[in-house]
Amino acid sequence: MIKKYYLLSPGPTPVPETVLSAAAEPIIHHRTSEFSDIFMETVEGLKYVFQTEQDVFVLTSSGTGAMEAAILSTFCQGDKVISLSGGKFGERWGQICRCHGLDVKEVTLEWGEPFTKEQLADELKANPGTKAVLATLSETSSGTVYDIQGYGEILAQSDAILIVDGISGLGATPCPMDEWKVDIMVAGSQKSFMIPPGLAYLSFSPKAWDLVEKSTLPSFYFDARKYKKNLKKRTTPYKPPITIKNQQKKYV
Ligand SMILES: *Cc1c(COP(=O)(O)O)cnc(C)c1O
């Protein structure tokens, strides 16, 4: 007998039965036109959720993998970044960046307190040469939604890019990537998307992609350039989890 569970957490979230049953469909090969058709349909759906004209890459990893991919694909050792840390997941941005040798200015916020675009403008002024600001759309650990739109306005007037962890927020609270001038958006499958954990999504603005072209941090699996090249061929660089793909097709 299969027990019924009710998940009352920010993620994983409950997966509807029609979506769950898609996991029982046969595994198809990922280098086939059948797969490519499903894949490209889901990528179009993701572009709608992200509200972007840019490519959205699909990674086989949890959300944190896409956070790391964003960093590895974009920076060079010693690059200066400002990380906004108002909870567990904001802290994670700082940890990932330090792990890869970036020069991190961590702005520690009271949990649950807002951080205004004016405060961000002051931080930028105090830290010349900043390449990026790392923010969180919805800080799951404190339930705080930050002013991504405001940060986008400020950063659009500078050379720095805005990187947003939208893993729990995207799809639950508005954050149109292109309109709000988000340069890198990260999301994951198991929260507002309501599919199982295992897929992560990543998109870059043209301003961010210029940095990707110049990035020298070593990366292999998480090198966004490989995902872009393969998306042109209607596929992913490495084997995707077909069962979740089938489920994603039911949804996005
Ligand atoms: C859940 C969550 C993460 C971590 O995602 P994983 O899929 O567990 O790696 C990161 N950021 C936020 C805001 C989250 O809610």
Side-chain angles (χ1 to χ4, degrees):
M1 198 183 74
I2 298 174
K3 236 179 168 175
K4 195 160 185 172
Y5 286 95
Y6 289 93
L7 290 167
L8 299 170
S9 69
T13 48
V15 179
E17 270 176 27
T18 49
V19 178
L20 273 182
S21 61
E25 288 176 16
I27 301 294
I28 57 171
H29 197 276
H30 61 295
R31 303 293 184 220
T32 56
S33 60
E34 192 185 354
F35 171 79
S36 285
D37 288 348
I38 296 173
F39 178 60
M40 292 315 288
E41 192 187 327
T42 60
V43 169
E44 280 310 308
L46 286 164
K47 287 167 72 166
Y48 175 74
V49 178
F50 275 59
Q51 290 289 295
T52 185
E53 294 292 315
Q54 302 306 316
D55 292 335
V56 178
F57 307 132
V58 180
L59 280 57
T60 304
S61 76
S62 83
T64 306
M67 293 171 77
E68 186 157 39
I71 301 304
L72 288 176
S73 301
T74 308
F75 297 108
C76 303
Q77 209 169 28
D79 274 352
K80 264 175 103 165
V81 297
I82 295 175
S83 157
L84 306 180
S85 172
K88 267 281 150 241
F89 295 110
E91 274 170 25
R92 188 166 298 180
W93 271 137
Q95 289 164 345
I96 296 171
C97 290
R98 279 191 296 274
C99 175
H100 296 297
L102 302 194
D103 177 1
V104 185
K105 164 78 200 307
E106 191 148 4
V107 181
T108 309
L109 315 171
E110 281 294 317
W111 284 38
E113 289 298 309
F115 183 73
T116 64
K117 60 179 183 180
E118 289 78 16
Q119 284 172 295
L120 181 66
D122 290 344
E123 282 295 337
L124 272 182
K125 228 176 267 162
N127 293 284
T130 294
K131 283 259 172 87
V133 172
L134 304 149
T136 309
L137 171 58
S138 160
E139 175 51 79
T140 316
S141 59
S142 67
T144 312
V145 172
Y146 291 99
D147 180 17
I148 301 302
Q149 186 175 19
Y151 307 162
E153 280 169 28
I154 299 295
L155 289 168
Q157 299 162 28
S158 81
D159 289 336
I161 60 166
L162 173 60
I163 306 183
V164 175
D165 166 0
I167 294 171
S168 67
L170 199 71
T173 185
C175 191
M177 178 176 166
D178 292 357
E179 193 188 322
W180 286 9
K181 301 184 168 42
V182 173
D183 293 298
I184 304 181
M185 176 61 91
V186 177
S189 56
Q190 82 276 24
K191 293 192 176 155
S192 62
F193 285 83
M194 295 175 81
I195 46 178
L199 293 176
Y201 316 118
L202 188 57
S203 185
F204 295 80
S205 72
K207 184 178 173 188
W209 198 259
D210 282 347
L211 294 181
V212 173
E213 304 275 11
K214 295 178 203 134
S215 162
T216 56
L217 281 183
S219 64
F220 188 88
Y221 187 78
F222 281 137
D223 181 351
R225 286 170 289 203
K226 291 200 179 80
Y227 291 82
K228 193 176 188 74
K229 195 171 132 205
N230 280 272
L231 192 56
K232 284 204 182 80
K233 297 188 281 181
R234 297 165 45 85
T235 192
T236 52
Y238 313 107
K239 280 179 194 64
I242 300 290
T243 49
I244 318 179
K245 277 272 181 251
N246 286 338
Q247 293 180 312
Q248 182 174 279
K249 183 183 122 187
K250 296 268 173 213
Y251 235 101
V252 179

